[in-house]
Amino acid sequence: MPSTFGNTLKVTVFGQSHSTAVGCVVEGLPSGHVVDLDALNAFMARRAPGQGSWTTPRKEADLPRIVSGLNPKGATCGAPLAVVIENTNTRSGDYDNILAVPRPGHADFTAWAKWHGNQDVPGGGHFSGRLTAPLCAAGGIALQILAKQGVRVAAHLASVANVDDEPFSALDNSPEAQQRLAAQMDALADGRTFPTIDESAGTSMLAAIDEARRSLDSVGGIVECVATGMPAGVGSPMFDGIENLIARAAFGIPAVKGLEFGRGFEAARLRGSEDNDPYRMRDGRPTPTTNNAGGALGGITTGAPVLFRIALKPTSSISRPQQSVDLTTMADAELEVHGRHDPCVATRAVPVTEAVCALVLLDALESFPAE
Amino acid sequence: MPSTFGNTLKVTVFGQSHSTAVGCVVEGLPSGHVVDLDALNAFMARRAPGQGSWTTPRKEADLPRIVSGLNPKGATCGAPLAVVIENTNTRSGDYDNILAVPRPGHADFTAWAKWHGNQDVPGGGHFSGRLTAPLCAAGGIALQILAKQGVRVAAHLASVANVDDEPFSALDNSPEAQQRLAAQMDALADGRTFPTIDESAGTSMLAAIDEARRSLDSVGGIVECVATGMPAGVGSPMFDGIENLIARAAFGIPAVKGLEFGRGFEAARLRGSEDNDPYRMRDGRPTPTTNNAGGALGGITTGAPVLFRIALKPTSSISRPQQSVDLTTMADAELEVHGRHDPCVATRAVPVTEAVCALVLLDALESFPAE
Amino acid sequence: MPSTFGNTLKVTVFGQSHSTAVGCVVEGLPSGHVVDLDALNAFMARRAPGQGSWTTPRKEADLPRIVSGLNPKGATCGAPLAVVIENTNTRSGDYDNILAVPRPGHADFTAWAKWHGNQDVPGGGHFSGRLTAPLCAAGGIALQILAKQGVRVAAHLASVANVDDEPFSALDNSPEAQQRLAAQMDALADGRTFPTIDESAGTSMLAAIDEARRSLDSVGGIVECVATGMPAGVGSPMFDGIENLIARAAFGIPAVKGLEFGRGFEAARLRGSEDNDPYRMRDGRPTPTTNNAGGALGGITTGAPVLFRIALKPTSSISRPQQSVDLTTMADAELEVHGRHDPCVATRAVPVTEAVCALVLLDALESFPAE
Amino acid sequence: MPSTFGNTLKVTVFGQSHSTAVGCVVEGLPSGHVVDLDALNAFMARRAPGQGSWTTPRKEADLPRIVSGLNPKGATCGAPLAVVIENTNTRSGDYDNILAVPRPGHADFTAWAKWHGNQDVPGGGHFSGRLTAPLCAAGGIALQILAKQGVRVAAHLASVANVDDEPFSALDNSPEAQQRLAAQMDALADGRTFPTIDESAGTSMLAAIDEARRSLDSVGGIVECVATGMPAGVGSPMFDGIENLIARAAFGIPAVKGLEFGRGFEAARLRGSEDNDPYRMRDGRPTPTTNNAGGALGGITTGAPVLFRIALKPTSSISRPQQSVDLTTMADAELEVHGRHDPCVATRAVPVTEAVCALVLLDALESFPAE
């Protein structure tokens, strides 16, 4: 089983929910970047559990230990950067019955079908949301390097439980829209704990999440992500375009079931005259005046913001009884899932989406630059 | 620039819209499969232009010449299979002005930004829809091999210009739903020229496409694809799951802007109790009774149909005047696109989607089988 | 079965000895290089059969047709460059009995063991020396691009049938040695048909080859290859170093059984004080004064010439009776190999080695440059 | 900078000589193998420093901590297996002057040329022999899995300082030769600390190494490696053959400058009638009666032992004064290397070679099996 993505910048993720540690190896980081550990820890804290009623009460310090890849000055040295995050708080007992009775919506059954009993089931094994911690460690470093190059990435909860946030101002590419977008990104970076642009939408989402939790149920959501500052000409046609690379990585985030760029599915209902982004000269450069394409055409960046949305299904772990089967007796069975879990995985997926976006864009800048 | 996808089964596509030839190399095909050339040509004919008012009048024989990879008996021999399709009908003159003035919605500008004048612009270069011909040649062979293993793939136009076809009966996984799905797949395979399940929907779509063409405009669409017969346990967690692999390849189909599996974006608005697929024993095997997941959990097949939808934007080439820039004078310019083009690319994307799906699933069966 | 090497610059080879065509796809060539077709044909002619008594009498025009990857000006355009070389002169009848009785030294038996009858046996299938024609087409283009960057590659027959040529003056890295090396490379490029520096050594080799042919036997040889002009700092430690990349590709040349860099096996018998290459400043740059390392340390170029030797076993096809087995009756059998074959494969391996070296070095310059 | 090799079974190595830890991630191990930690530690102890006068006095516990990839029963679970080995004994002070003055024979200069000051110099950074510890951890597990499949790997010091050990009895493939080979492999596995078949040769080598050490010098050596039990039909033609894969990985072992299979360079001096391996039926199977090919033809195993030799240059670190340059002043300089180092790296390369061989063969069995 491989667990790697990227071309020049490659990320290999390891660990299971209840293994000794989780972590990652990042090959191909540009050398000479002094890692800002405080910023990295702050970024990872956004993903960490135990922040409030909307996340699992499981607490993990989630402190990434960078065990290689830095020189004595703390700068990337060209060698693979490895991150180890110890798993300090594992309660496998919670998961005893899922060894026999797969949880609907989780990969318990499919892992059993693949590995016939050798899989590491507790907590989801390698499928666990816990594996997004090393993804964030790698992505947090990528975000720092991108920032030096003028590329900025932000994500927010576009929708949870039918409550919609204000969307990014990125389908329009006018100077005014760009200013508005920058303000939205600033707002999201201001330290707010719940990642919506419109804080009242966040309040409503939290209420809806809490209601679902009390109903022993869960809710899904949509994360919208944007990256500004990407120069035109980055990426590759066909199978290594910006969309392909983001898609391959984004479907690695647990619970993602859909992905769209720019106008996305809505574009399928438009006419060409509505969807095509016209060009005008601006600041001496050809510039699309709208951004229905979401920042890439033919897999290559246009210079407009890279914009995409991912759909996350509701948390599979719910406390209600569910129909399942017993894999030891091969008979129908009922299941009640205990253990700690988020009633909405989308919230914690916001920094993960930023991390994945940053890793892919940094890889594209390295692997498929404008020539 | 790479132009390859796949792990064990790798497809490398070459060619430009107006190069001498287009083609592909397929590495990793299982040996011993006698290629049915008639079936392959029939499959490719479904993608070929010139079929009716809804496609470009450009006619290409599109006959794939298999120049390597077969033994004297016509069976795959283990060596790379190469397909060459000559470009016989190229009218570069049509594209003269796009050398200077990029067409909105196309990759003309982004290719210029990447290669600064070295790109092969006429007809879209390597970005052209013409490159889907070799994809179909490779995919057509994959479909034949899958069929021997009991895997069947079909796609249809789920929506065009706000006209919706009957959806595949694949979100439910009851025996009745499976029968209905088989009947839908049979109907699509019955030789109909326009790929809808409900022929009256097809008639309405054709009318809408024709109306768009007469308005010098174009329309988008949604293609839905399903694969039945995939055993449970195929695929890999994280970055090489069924969804990741399909996503990476599907965004290589020109004009694709969105992709969703199973309930997809709708799942983001559901609760866990609605979205989770329960398991029951059926024919001695654990079986999900619904298929909101679209056939995969944690990247690994569940045994239920693999089901996904792709959103295609409207054809970028429209005959109306559009705003653009002149890359030689670096000034604003108006553009009128001449040349032949489909008013709706989604129609011809139907067999291409089947081809891509078949290639990915055959690769997954080879690369990430149940152990 | 994959048939690809390279990282950014990737070469995929297709074809069998008696398939319709052989060829290759080259991904990742820098754009903007106008291919000099005359120079390419001249380079390929050096590999082509039928040149004299020392090569197989099989004649092939070996004209590479570049079917994609060029823009209308004949320059590389960023898209994959595909080369097709038709197989015009195939006499499968010669090979009828090897379907049943594998030729010692060839891959007939191992291909049978792998593909159990599906393999394409005639002439060696995908294992044939014929597949070095597309390698030379790709490498010939790489040589042209390298030349623009000041990198020059040459190879010669260092040894055949115990007759040794003058070695390249490249273990010493003094200015005098460098001059001498340049003169040797000039001499090899002067149009001589037999690739030795010392023409009298060539005459002796030809006599020895002819003697072997008349004895119904064959001889092996050693090819030495050198590349000058590579800047220091190119390559990567561990598994993607200059040596690793050359090694992986060079063992793809049929009949290669050994490879050494710089002092190679002889270094195993030296002391550190003899083998270490001291540094001195020269022209403002740190420069190794000797080149026992063969141009790379830790996988990264030193700036001294890249120097390696490959050992080729004697041609496996000999006209003497040999012991084999009949794979249909599973009984011992005697074999007499008919068909056309070179009594010494090393001669034609000289341009192939240059091609492989050029492809690897151009890839290293693209993939692992000095940062 | 990538640091990965393998296809299905992929090994990614991380760490620097003086980083917090070194380690590796192994993707693609077959699931269900219970790792024998005692056997693994015993294997790693063979590589560990501090064993005697012939190795560096640096002592490292070298205990590999497997932090992921096992299920609660200690068996491989399908998820990536990660190994972390802490660096407990790092004396960077020893290496202070090499920051400015590169050591001849080491990668200090080439790393500087590549990363211009960002590289992690102390102790060789990622180039250090210390990185062979994680290679051995991965390889030690691969050896256990191969043993279950009947594949056995052994290496010995074929030559050090012009003292030659008895060679493996593997160029002949007669039943008698096979018995003799098995006895040689048994002898090497009997717990002897110095890896020669002929213990008197070992005694002479130790004397020669000691003499070199006392002369403030070092010696090179040749490691010969053999694998028995590989079935015929494993591997792939062209660039993913047994030789290519071993070559790519083996040149990742520090100090390797040459590699040959079977008769290797000697084959270049033979005639076809001498070098070709005849086939006879044996035990109902076609079997080569000799093994000049070294176990593979056309990249695919013959069923005879896989046999290769690697040439290691003398240890670059010697205590004698050497000519170098000062990279800060860009002036000629003299260098005396202090710090701990082996006078002969070949000795510790023996288990490393076994590890690399095991990893490659297990990968070949997984990636390119007989179909």
Side-chain angles (χ1 to χ4, degrees):
Chain A
M1 192 197 91
S3 203
T4 298
F5 71 101
N7 293 277
T8 302
L9 181 71
K10 267 192 278 199
V11 181
T12 302
V13 174
F14 61 84
Q16 299 113 248
S17 185
H18 293 79
S19 58
T20 307
V22 298
C24 64
V25 182
V26 188
E27 300 166 90
L29 282 172
S31 71
H33 171 73
V34 177
V35 175
D36 181 336
L37 284 173
D38 290 338
L40 181 61
N41 287 332
F43 178 69
M44 293 200 64
R46 287 176 51 206
R47 190 214 69 92
Q51 297 176 13
S53 62
W54 68 92
T55 66
T56 165
R58 170 175 170 169
K59 286 195 182 296
E60 294 276 1
D62 259 5
L63 287 179
R65 193 164 65 107
I66 300 179
V67 300
S68 76
L70 302 182
N71 65 22
K73 294 171 196 154
T76 52
C77 69
L81 185 145
V83 175
V84 176
I85 305 170
E86 304 290 327
N87 273 341
T88 54
N89 185 348
T90 59
R91 288 166 48 194
S92 293
D94 283 349
Y95 295 93
D96 269 359
N97 66 341
I98 63 171
L99 287 164
V101 183
R103 297 167 296 177
H106 280 284
D108 302 341
F109 166 65
T110 57
W112 173 86
K114 184 171 180 62
W115 290 296
H116 292 103
N118 294 320
Q119 75 279 11
D120 183 30
V121 172
H126 191 62
F127 304 80
S128 166
R130 178 111 189 98
L131 272 294
T132 58
L135 261 183
C136 281
I141 295 170
L143 282 165
Q144 295 178 13
I145 297 172
L146 285 175
K148 286 185 183 172
Q149 302 183 27
V151 178
R152 189 178 182 190
V153 177
H156 71 119
L157 271 174
S159 178
V160 164
N162 295 305
V163 180
D164 293 340
D165 191 20
E166 178 185 315
F168 278 132
S169 169
L171 289 173
D172 186 0
N173 197 34
S174 66
E176 300 70 33
Q178 291 177 342
Q179 278 187 11
R180 173 76 198 125
L181 176 60
Q184 290 173 324
M185 295 172 87
D186 289 343
L188 287 166
D190 71 358
R192 60 187 61 181
T193 53
F194 199 78
T196 54
I197 297 170
D198 174 354
E199 296 194 274
S200 69
T203 306
S204 301
M205 287 179 192
L206 280 169
I209 292 171
D210 200 49
E211 196 279 317
R213 188 180 53 75
R214 280 182 282 105
S215 309
L216 309 181
D217 215 332
S218 63
V219 292
I222 294 174
V223 173
E224 187 181 44
C225 185
V226 74
T228 58
M230 283 292 288
V234 177
S236 186
M238 302 289 290
F239 309 112
D240 285 289
I242 297 296
E243 296 103 326
N244 308 259
L245 298 177
I246 288 178
R248 189 203 165 181
F251 278 105
I253 303 174
V256 172
K257 298 309 282 185
L259 170 64
E260 58 181 0
F261 291 86
R263 287 292 269 271
F265 273 85
E266 200 185 318
R269 305 201 175 274
L270 298 179
R271 293 204 159 195
S273 57
E274 298 166 305
D275 187 60
N276 282 351
D277 299 310
Y279 297 102
R280 293 283 90 173
M281 295 302 299
R282 189 189 301 164
D283 302 330
R285 280 190 299 212
T287 306
T289 58
T290 57
N291 186 31
N292 295 316
L297 288 172
I300 301 175
T301 50
T302 62
V306 173
L307 177 71
F308 64 94
R309 276 173 301 282
I310 59 173
L312 294 109
K313 67 179 183 181
T315 310
S316 298
S317 292
I318 55 176
S319 299
R320 295 185 180 192
Q322 294 180 88
Q323 292 188 331
S324 185
V325 293
D326 188 312
L327 297 170
T328 50
T329 60
M330 285 295 186
D332 289 347
E334 299 301 293
L335 176 74
E336 278 189 59
V337 179
H338 303 293
R340 302 152 299 183
H341 37 76
D342 293 352
C344 177
V345 291
T347 52
R348 290 170 64 199
V350 170
V352 179
T353 305
E354 292 175 5
V356 161
C357 179
L359 288 164
V360 169
L361 293 184
L362 184 56
D363 182 33
L365 283 161
E366 290 190 39
S367 302
F368 311 115
E371 286 188 9
Chain B
M1 192 199 89
S3 203
T4 297
F5 72 101
N7 293 278
T8 301
L9 181 71
K10 269 194 275 198
V11 180
T12 302
V13 173
F14 61 83
Q16 299 112 249
S17 185
H18 294 78
S19 59
T20 308
V22 298
C24 64
V25 181
V26 188
E27 300 166 90
L29 282 173
S31 70
H33 172 73
V34 177
V35 175
D36 180 336
L37 286 172
D38 290 338
L40 181 61
N41 286 331
F43 178 69
M44 293 199 64
R46 288 177 49 204
R47 190 214 70 90
Q51 298 176 12
S53 61
W54 68 92
T55 66
T56 165
R58 169 175 171 170
K59 286 194 182 295
E60 292 277 0
D62 260 6
L63 287 180
R65 193 164 63 109
I66 301 178
V67 301
S68 75
L70 302 183
N71 65 23
K73 294 172 196 154
T76 52
C77 69
L81 185 145
V83 174
V84 176
I85 305 170
E86 305 290 327
N87 273 340
T88 53
N89 186 348
T90 60
R91 287 166 48 194
S92 293
D94 283 348
Y95 294 93
D96 268 0
N97 66 339
I98 64 172
L99 287 163
V101 183
R103 296 167 296 176
H106 280 283
D108 301 342
F109 165 65
T110 57
W112 173 87
K114 184 171 181 64
W115 290 295
H116 292 103
N118 294 321
Q119 75 278 11
D120 182 31
V121 172
H126 191 63
F127 305 80
S128 165
R130 177 111 188 99
L131 273 294
T132 58
L135 261 183
C136 282
I141 295 170
L143 284 165
Q144 295 178 13
I145 297 172
L146 285 175
K148 286 184 185 173
Q149 303 183 27
V151 178
R152 190 177 179 188
V153 177
H156 71 117
L157 271 175
S159 178
V160 163
N162 295 305
V163 180
D164 293 341
D165 191 19
E166 178 186 316
F168 277 132
S169 169
L171 289 173
D172 186 359
N173 197 35
S174 65
E176 298 71 33
Q178 291 178 342
Q179 278 187 11
R180 173 78 198 124
L181 175 61
Q184 289 174 324
M185 296 172 85
D186 288 344
L188 288 165
D190 73 357
R192 60 187 62 182
T193 52
F194 200 77
T196 53
I197 297 170
D198 173 354
E199 296 196 274
S200 68
T203 306
S204 300
M205 288 180 190
L206 280 169
I209 292 171
D210 200 49
E211 195 281 318
R213 189 180 53 76
R214 279 181 282 107
S215 309
L216 309 180
D217 214 334
S218 63
V219 292
I222 293 174
V223 173
E224 186 180 44
C225 185
V226 74
T228 58
M230 283 291 289
V234 176
S236 185
M238 302 290 289
F239 308 112
D240 284 289
I242 296 297
E243 295 102 325
N244 308 259
L245 299 178
I246 289 178
R248 188 203 167 181
F251 277 105
I253 303 174
V256 172
K257 299 309 281 187
L259 169 64
E260 59 182 0
F261 290 86
R263 287 291 271 269
F265 274 85
E266 200 186 319
R269 303 200 176 274
L270 298 180
R271 293 203 159 194
S273 56
E274 298 166 305
D275 188 60
N276 283 352
D277 299 310
Y279 297 102
R280 294 281 92 173
M281 295 302 298
R282 188 188 302 163
D283 301 330
R285 281 188 299 211
T287 306
T289 57
T290 58
N291 187 30
N292 294 317
L297 287 172
I300 302 175
T301 49
T302 62
V306 173
L307 176 71
F308 64 94
R309 277 173 298 282
I310 60 173
L312 294 111
K313 67 179 184 181
T315 310
S316 298
S317 293
I318 54 176
S319 299
R320 295 184 180 194
Q322 295 180 88
Q323 292 188 331
S324 185
V325 293
D326 186 314
L327 297 170
T328 51
T329 61
M330 282 296 186
D332 289 346
E334 299 300 295
L335 176 72
E336 278 189 58
V337 178
H338 303 293
R340 303 152 297 182
H341 37 75
D342 292 352
C344 176
V345 289
T347 53
R348 290 170 63 198
V350 170
V352 179
T353 304
E354 292 174 5
V356 162
C357 179
L359 288 164
V360 169
L361 293 185
L362 184 56
D363 183 32
L365 282 163
E366 289 190 41
S367 302
F368 311 115
E371 285 187 10
Chain C
M1 191 198 91
S3 203
T4 297
F5 71 102
N7 293 277
T8 302
L9 181 71
K10 268 192 278 197
V11 181
T12 302
V13 174
F14 61 84
Q16 299 114 248
S17 185
H18 293 78
S19 58
T20 307
V22 298
C24 64
V25 181
V26 189
E27 299 166 270
L29 283 172
S31 71
H33 171 73
V34 177
V35 175
D36 181 336
L37 284 173
D38 290 338
L40 181 60
N41 286 331
F43 178 69
M44 292 200 63
R46 287 176 51 205
R47 191 215 68 92
Q51 297 176 12
S53 61
W54 69 91
T55 65
T56 165
R58 170 175 170 168
K59 286 194 182 297
E60 293 277 1
D62 259 5
L63 287 179
R65 192 164 65 108
I66 301 179
V67 300
S68 75
L70 302 182
N71 65 22
K73 294 172 195 153
T76 53
C77 69
L81 185 144
V83 175
V84 176
I85 305 171
E86 304 290 328
N87 273 340
T88 52
N89 185 348
T90 58
R91 288 167 48 194
S92 293
D94 284 348
Y95 295 92
D96 269 358
N97 66 340
I98 64 171
L99 287 164
V101 183
R103 296 168 295 175
H106 279 284
D108 301 342
F109 166 65
T110 57
W112 173 87
K114 185 172 180 62
W115 290 297
H116 292 103
N118 294 321
Q119 74 278 12
D120 183 29
V121 172
H126 191 63
F127 304 81
S128 165
R130 178 111 189 98
L131 272 294
T132 58
L135 261 183
C136 281
I141 295 170
L143 283 164
Q144 295 177 13
I145 296 172
L146 284 175
K148 285 185 183 171
Q149 303 183 27
V151 178
R152 189 178 182 189
V153 176
H156 71 119
L157 271 175
S159 178
V160 163
N162 295 304
V163 180
D164 293 341
D165 191 19
E166 178 186 315
F168 277 131
S169 169
L171 289 173
D172 186 0
N173 198 34
S174 66
E176 299 72 32
Q178 291 177 342
Q179 279 188 12
R180 172 78 198 122
L181 176 59
Q184 290 173 324
M185 295 171 88
D186 289 344
L188 287 166
D190 72 358
R192 60 187 61 182
T193 52
F194 199 78
T196 54
I197 297 170
D198 174 353
E199 296 195 274
S200 69
T203 306
S204 302
M205 288 179 191
L206 281 169
I209 293 171
D210 200 48
E211 196 280 319
R213 188 181 52 76
R214 280 182 282 105
S215 309
L216 309 182
D217 215 334
S218 64
V219 293
I222 293 173
V223 173
E224 187 181 43
C225 185
V226 74
T228 58
M230 283 292 288
V234 176
S236 186
M238 302 290 290
F239 309 112
D240 285 290
I242 297 296
E243 296 102 326
N244 308 259
L245 299 178
I246 289 178
R248 190 203 165 181
F251 278 105
I253 304 174
V256 172
K257 297 310 281 186
L259 169 65
E260 59 182 359
F261 290 86
R263 288 291 269 270
F265 274 86
E266 200 185 319
R269 304 199 176 274
L270 298 179
R271 293 201 159 196
S273 57
E274 298 166 305
D275 188 59
N276 281 352
D277 299 310
Y279 297 102
R280 293 284 89 175
M281 295 301 300
R282 188 189 301 164
D283 302 330
R285 279 189 300 212
T287 306
T289 58
T290 56
N291 187 30
N292 294 318
L297 288 172
I300 302 175
T301 50
T302 62
V306 173
L307 177 71
F308 65 94
R309 277 173 299 283
I310 59 172
L312 294 109
K313 66 180 184 181
T315 311
S316 298
S317 292
I318 55 176
S319 299
R320 296 184 179 192
Q322 294 180 88
Q323 292 188 332
S324 185
V325 292
D326 187 311
L327 297 169
T328 50
T329 61
M330 283 296 185
D332 290 347
E334 299 301 292
L335 176 73
E336 278 189 59
V337 178
H338 304 293
R340 303 152 297 183
H341 38 76
D342 293 353
C344 176
V345 290
T347 52
R348 291 169 63 198
V350 170
V352 179
T353 305
E354 292 175 5
V356 162
C357 179
L359 288 165
V360 170
L361 294 184
L362 184 56
D363 182 33
L365 283 162
E366 289 190 42
S367 302
F368 311 115
E371 285 188 10
Chain D
M1 191 197 90
S3 203
T4 298
F5 72 101
N7 293 279
T8 301
L9 181 70
K10 270 194 275 198
V11 181
T12 302
V13 173
F14 61 84
Q16 299 112 250
S17 185
H18 294 78
S19 59
T20 307
V22 298
C24 64
V25 182
V26 188
E27 300 165 271
L29 282 172
S31 71
H33 172 73
V34 177
V35 175
D36 180 336
L37 285 172
D38 291 337
L40 181 61
N41 286 332
F43 178 70
M44 293 200 64
R46 288 176 51 204
R47 191 215 68 91
Q51 298 176 11
S53 62
W54 68 92
T55 66
T56 165
R58 169 175 172 171
K59 286 194 183 295
E60 293 278 0
D62 259 6
L63 287 180
R65 192 164 64 108
I66 300 178
V67 300
S68 75
L70 302 183
N71 65 22
K73 294 172 195 152
T76 52
C77 70
L81 186 145
V83 175
V84 176
I85 305 171
E86 304 290 328
N87 274 340
T88 54
N89 185 349
T90 59
R91 288 166 49 194
S92 292
D94 284 348
Y95 296 93
D96 269 359
N97 67 340
I98 63 171
L99 287 164
V101 183
R103 297 167 297 175
H106 279 284
D108 301 342
F109 166 66
T110 57
W112 173 87
K114 183 170 181 63
W115 289 296
H116 292 104
N118 294 321
Q119 74 278 11
D120 182 30
V121 173
H126 191 62
F127 304 81
S128 166
R130 178 112 189 97
L131 272 295
T132 57
L135 260 183
C136 281
I141 296 170
L143 283 165
Q144 295 178 13
I145 297 172
L146 284 175
K148 286 184 184 173
Q149 302 183 26
V151 178
R152 191 177 179 188
V153 177
H156 71 117
L157 271 175
S159 177
V160 163
N162 295 305
V163 180
D164 293 341
D165 190 20
E166 178 185 316
F168 277 131
S169 170
L171 289 173
D172 186 359
N173 198 34
S174 65
E176 298 72 31
Q178 290 178 342
Q179 279 188 10
R180 172 78 198 124
L181 176 60
Q184 290 174 324
M185 296 172 86
D186 288 343
L188 288 165
D190 72 359
R192 61 187 61 182
T193 52
F194 199 77
T196 54
I197 297 170
D198 173 355
E199 297 196 274
S200 68
T203 306
S204 300
M205 288 180 191
L206 280 169
I209 292 170
D210 199 50
E211 195 281 317
R213 188 181 53 76
R214 280 181 282 106
S215 310
L216 309 180
D217 214 334
S218 63
V219 292
I222 293 174
V223 173
E224 185 180 45
C225 186
V226 73
T228 57
M230 284 291 288
V234 176
S236 186
M238 302 290 289
F239 308 112
D240 285 289
I242 296 296
E243 296 103 325
N244 308 259
L245 298 178
I246 288 178
R248 189 203 166 183
F251 277 105
I253 303 174
V256 172
K257 299 308 282 186
L259 170 64
E260 59 182 0
F261 290 86
R263 288 290 271 270
F265 274 86
E266 201 185 319
R269 303 199 177 277
L270 297 180
R271 293 203 159 195
S273 56
E274 298 166 305
D275 188 60
N276 282 352
D277 299 310
Y279 297 102
R280 294 281 90 173
M281 294 302 297
R282 189 188 301 163
D283 301 331
R285 281 190 298 213
T287 306
T289 58
T290 57
N291 186 30
N292 294 317
L297 288 172
I300 301 175
T301 50
T302 62
V306 173
L307 176 72
F308 65 93
R309 277 173 298 282
I310 60 173
L312 294 110
K313 66 179 185 181
T315 310
S316 297
S317 292
I318 55 175
S319 298
R320 296 183 179 192
Q322 296 180 87
Q323 292 188 333
S324 185
V325 293
D326 187 313
L327 297 170
T328 51
T329 61
M330 282 295 186
D332 289 347
E334 300 300 295
L335 176 72
E336 279 188 59
V337 178
H338 304 294
R340 303 152 298 182
H341 37 76
D342 293 353
C344 176
V345 290
T347 53
R348 289 170 63 198
V350 171
V352 180
T353 305
E354 292 174 6
V356 161
C357 179
L359 289 164
V360 170
L361 294 185
L362 185 55
D363 182 32
L365 282 163
E366 289 190 40
S367 301
F368 310 115
E371 284 188 11

